[in-house]
Amino acid sequence: MSQRESALRAGLAAALSLAAFAAAAAPPDDPELARLGQRLTVLEASPDTAQVGTFERYRARQAIEDARQARSRDRVDAVRLADRRVETAEIVVRTQLAQRELDRLDRERSELLVEASRRDADRARAEAERLRVQAQIQAEEAERLRQAADQEAAARQQAEGLLDDVAGKQAAKLRAARERDAELARKEAELLGGEAPPATPKPKPKKK
């Protein structure tokens, strides 16, 4: 902590002490200001909260004092401001205490992790290696299955192509044979001096 921060904290602490003394020596407040003063006193009474939210508590104490000395027409706004300052001080104190607790728990967690790591380093490494090997085996199996699926799909596509090709060739051969038969019949009829038989009509394609 720098000297400037130490001086600032010391000044704030002195101001809070003077404000508390002045509040004790002053005439009784109205109920609202008394309630606000009690809320600040609760924050300052506990050793856990007395060292946090110093600046906010000082501002709240000053706002209460300003409300006490405010004129009648300004009193409502002054009391409202004092209430907000007290609430802000309470929130800051709770927040800083919670942060302290989180920091403490985080330190304990880090210490436990270091200790557990020191004790179980070999076991953790062995488990990590086992998981790595298992993941590698699963990845290799997945790749093998993917390649098998690709090969099966390629083989199926090739077989379908071959079937289509064979069917097309068979149909072409059938058409050629019919055309040859018709041509032979026509030539035979010409040789015999008769009329050529009508050409065999091509089969009409089936409507889809």
Side-chain angles (χ1 to χ4, degrees):
M1 181 184 298
S2 65
Q3 293 181 353
R4 183 178 180 182
E5 291 177 346
S6 300
L8 179 60
R9 287 180 177 272
L12 289 175
L16 287 172
S17 299
L18 290 175
F21 177 78
D29 292 329
D30 63 20
E32 182 65 18
L33 293 179
R35 182 180 63 82
L36 295 177
Q38 290 175 357
R39 287 166 60 182
L40 275 182
T41 301
V42 170
L43 291 180
E44 297 166 352
S46 172
D48 294 333
T49 59
Q51 302 301 319
V52 294
T54 306
F55 179 68
E56 288 76 15
R57 287 189 287 112
Y58 168 75
R59 293 183 66 190
R61 184 70 68 184
Q62 187 64 45
I64 292 175
E65 184 63 24
D66 292 342
R68 183 181 295 112
Q69 297 178 5
R71 290 174 295 184
S72 299
R73 64 180 182 180
D74 299 330
R75 189 175 183 81
V76 174
D77 292 336
V79 171
R80 185 181 297 112
L81 176 62
D83 182 78
R84 286 200 297 267
R85 291 284 172 81
V86 171
E87 184 178 4
T88 299
E90 292 172 338
I91 292 174
V92 170
V93 168
R94 289 197 297 268
T95 301
Q96 292 184 1
L97 289 178
Q99 186 61 48
R100 283 185 177 182
E101 182 66 13
L102 287 175
D103 293 341
R104 184 186 68 81
L105 293 175
D106 188 60
R107 288 193 300 269
E108 289 184 0
R109 176 179 176 274
S110 298
E111 292 172 358
L112 290 174
L113 288 175
V114 170
E115 182 64 22
S117 177
R118 187 183 300 113
R119 289 196 313 265
D120 304 330
D122 293 338
R123 185 172 62 185
R125 282 194 295 269
E127 179 65 13
E129 179 63 17
R130 185 186 69 81
L131 293 175
R132 186 190 67 79
V133 172
Q134 182 178 354
Q136 182 177 356
I137 292 173
Q138 291 176 350
E140 291 175 353
E141 179 65 14
E143 179 63 18
R144 186 187 66 80
L145 292 174
R146 185 189 65 79
Q147 292 180 358
D150 291 343
Q151 292 174 358
E152 182 180 355
R156 185 184 301 110
Q157 185 176 3
Q158 183 179 7
E160 291 175 353
L162 289 175
L163 289 175
D164 292 341
D165 187 51
V166 170
K169 289 180 179 180
Q170 291 295 333
K173 289 180 179 180
L174 181 58
R175 286 195 300 272
R178 288 178 176 175
E179 290 174 358
R180 285 196 302 271
D181 291 343
E183 182 64 19
L184 289 174
R186 186 182 64 79
K187 290 181 178 180
E188 183 179 0
E190 290 178 352
L191 291 175
L192 296 176
E195 295 181 355
T200 303
K202 295 183 180 180
K204 293 183 181 180
K206 295 181 180 180
K207 293 183 180 179
K208 295 183 179 180

